[in-house]
Amino acid sequence: MAIQWFPGHMHKARKEMAMVLPDTDVIVEVLDARIPFSSENPMLEQLRGHKPCLKVLTKSDLADDELTQVWLNNYESDTTKSIQISSHDPLSIKAMQPLLKTMVTPSQSRVNPFVVMVVGIPNVGKSTLINLLAGRTVAKTGNEPAITKRQQHISLSDHWVLRDTPGVLWPNVDNPKSGYRLAATGAIRDTAMDSADVAAHLLDYVCVNYPEQLQQRYNVDLPLDDSVGTLEAIGRSRGCIGGGGMVDFDRAARLLLTEFRAGQIGKMTLENPDMQRKELKEVELSRIEKAQKKEEKKAARKAARNKRNSRG
Ligand SMILES: Nc1nc2c(ncn2[C@@H]2O[C@H](COP(=O)(O)OP(=O)(O)OP(=O)(O)O)[C@@H](O)[C@H]2O)c(=O)[nH]1
Ligand SMILES: [Mg+2]
């Protein structure tokens, strides 16, 4: 299922980001440590060009530590550095500033402060990070996407300025698997997708990769080879019962998603770099197929038109 959730303010935000980019010294791209691939916005990648970029894997308190390390190793390059943080770990936030300093070139003649633009998909924790760096509440935060609606400048000191930006998704999330993961972690409004569908996709992965945590949390015998059956068993064990004594799948799904997002099932990461490579190939193949079909349709229409004209 392709997701199309691109509210007007995101379109405006994208344009504003492009406008202020020339005056930006470093881009801080906030990624969700549970879905580093799916939370990386390809639109931002194009926008930033060769600007130095610090990839910040946030919510690491909710992610699988081993996989967070794998992802961090995956990013290092000349213009890109990476770090993991958690809003619950002040030391991880403190470690960011020295790293940012290594990414700018100080010049004695410089009078303007360095500008750091904080970007990322909705609900990933950009404003929370800014508040923690500033040491006070300067930006509005909230546990739902699209809280920040416009850019905001925050002076950290005479030498540093932070720019908070609204979360931006790309107009058409063309990898359906990424769409489900974005929905599972709360980057997409819950109303944009069917909760039971999102929960079943989450369980497809969790049942295989984190079966013990799931079993422990729900404390019932789960049929782990069947995600719909697992969701049904979770719903029954938690009293999500609707008419006729049947499990209310929507309620069970919402319960599972809430507990997953709060880290109550355990620390989990939903993707690794191998999955990223495989899925990017699939997306490319499907793009080529779609383009071919479009061309074939166009050719068929043209042939039909020519036939009609030659008859007439
Ligand atoms: N567990 C955990 N929660 C976090 C962390 N960072 C942020 N959050 C929570 O994530 C939610 C979203 O945080 P925000 O800072 O508003 O996210 P944002 O990226 O600014 O969102 P938009 O402005 O909507 O794009 C809030 O409920 C935060 O408390 C973290 O490191 N760990
Ligand atoms: Mg925000």
Side-chain angles (χ1 to χ4, degrees):
M1 176 173 165
I3 295 164
Q4 301 221 5
W5 188 61
F6 197 64
H9 83 267
M10 288 194 197
H11 180 65
K12 191 165 157 249
R14 198 202 92 92
K15 277 175 51 186
E16 280 174 2
M17 270 184 217
M19 256 161 57
V20 297
L21 203 68
D23 302 328
T24 302
D25 294 284
V26 185
I27 294 176
V28 164
E29 185 178 4
V30 185
L31 301 172
D32 186 324
R34 297 165 298 173
I35 50 164
F37 160 46
S38 297
S39 59
E40 192 173 49
N41 188 338
M43 213 163 72
L44 294 174
E45 199 61 30
Q46 284 170 1
L47 207 66
R48 87 171 169 98
H50 296 292
K51 286 270 171 191
C53 178
L54 176 59
K55 304 245 182 200
V56 175
L57 293 190
T58 190
K59 306 196 182 184
S60 64
D61 52 303
L62 303 175
D64 182 324
D65 292 322
E66 217 174 285
L67 278 174
T68 299
Q69 210 44 56
V70 171
W71 278 108
L72 289 174
N73 296 340
N74 193 53
Y75 292 128
E76 296 297 309
S77 81
D78 289 348
T79 53
T80 309
K81 291 193 185 304
S82 61
I83 189 170
Q84 62 167 300
I85 61 158
S86 156
S87 58
H88 304 294
D89 175 10
L91 283 183
S92 70
I93 310 289
K94 230 176 170 177
M96 263 187 74
Q97 288 211 21
L99 197 55
L100 281 174
K101 272 189 196 152
T102 66
M103 299 183 77
V104 292
T105 355
S107 117
Q108 291 198 321
S109 57
R110 188 178 171 120
V111 282
N112 297 329
F114 291 110
V115 178
V116 177
M117 179 155 71
V118 181
V119 301
I121 62 163
N123 204 26
V124 72
K126 298 174 295 297
S127 302
T128 304
L129 170 62
I130 284 182
N131 287 340
L132 290 165
L133 285 170
R136 59 190 198 281
T137 305
V138 283
K140 192 173 162 200
T141 64
N143 196 12
E144 58 176 294
I147 290 284
T148 305
K149 295 277 199 294
R150 60 183 69 88
Q151 282 195 18
Q152 189 186 350
H153 291 216
I154 296 108
S155 267
L156 268 197
S157 67
D158 292 345
H159 308 294
W160 291 93
V161 167
L162 296 177
R163 226 174 229 152
D164 191 9
T165 63
V168 177
L169 271 178
W170 44 118
N172 190 348
V173 181
D174 48 7
N175 178 12
K177 291 173 184 160
S178 282
Y180 284 115
R181 292 181 207 127
L182 285 162
T185 52
I188 293 172
R189 276 261 152 81
D190 280 336
T191 46
M193 283 182 90
D194 178 56
S195 298
D197 215 12
V198 174
H201 277 84
L202 175 66
L203 284 171
D204 278 343
Y205 182 85
V206 173
C207 286
V208 174
N209 293 280
Y210 300 101
E212 292 90 13
Q213 285 97 316
L214 206 58
Q215 204 80 64
Q216 221 167 25
R217 174 77 190 167
Y218 296 104
N219 209 15
V220 279
D221 228 358
L222 299 170
L224 294 171
D225 55 349
D226 164 18
S227 55
V228 175
T230 296
L231 185 57
E232 189 173 15
I234 290 173
R236 198 166 286 288
S237 81
R238 289 300 185 84
C240 304
I241 307 295
M246 309 283 273
V247 167
D248 180 336
F249 275 89
D250 189 53
R251 253 176 75 200
R254 279 186 279 120
L255 178 136
L256 176 85
L257 291 173
T258 304
E259 298 194 354
F260 165 73
R261 288 172 190 165
Q264 288 166 329
I265 310 174
K267 284 166 74 89
M268 291 175 188
T269 297
L270 303 183
E271 48 198 20
N272 61 48
D274 284 341
M275 286 164 71
Q276 174 174 24
R277 278 185 282 276
K278 188 167 163 270
E279 288 174 26
L280 284 176
K281 264 192 209 147
E282 286 169 5
V283 168
E284 191 49 34
L285 277 178
S286 121
R287 228 180 256 148
I288 293 170
E289 252 173 46
K290 265 189 209 152
Q292 270 171 352
K293 275 196 189 134
K294 207 171 156 190
E295 281 305 310
E296 279 165 17
K297 265 193 192 163
K298 218 166 115 186
R301 270 203 306 271
K302 196 174 167 194
R305 220 176 19 247
N306 288 344
K307 207 170 161 187
R308 270 200 311 274
N309 290 346
S310 66
R311 271 202 216 119

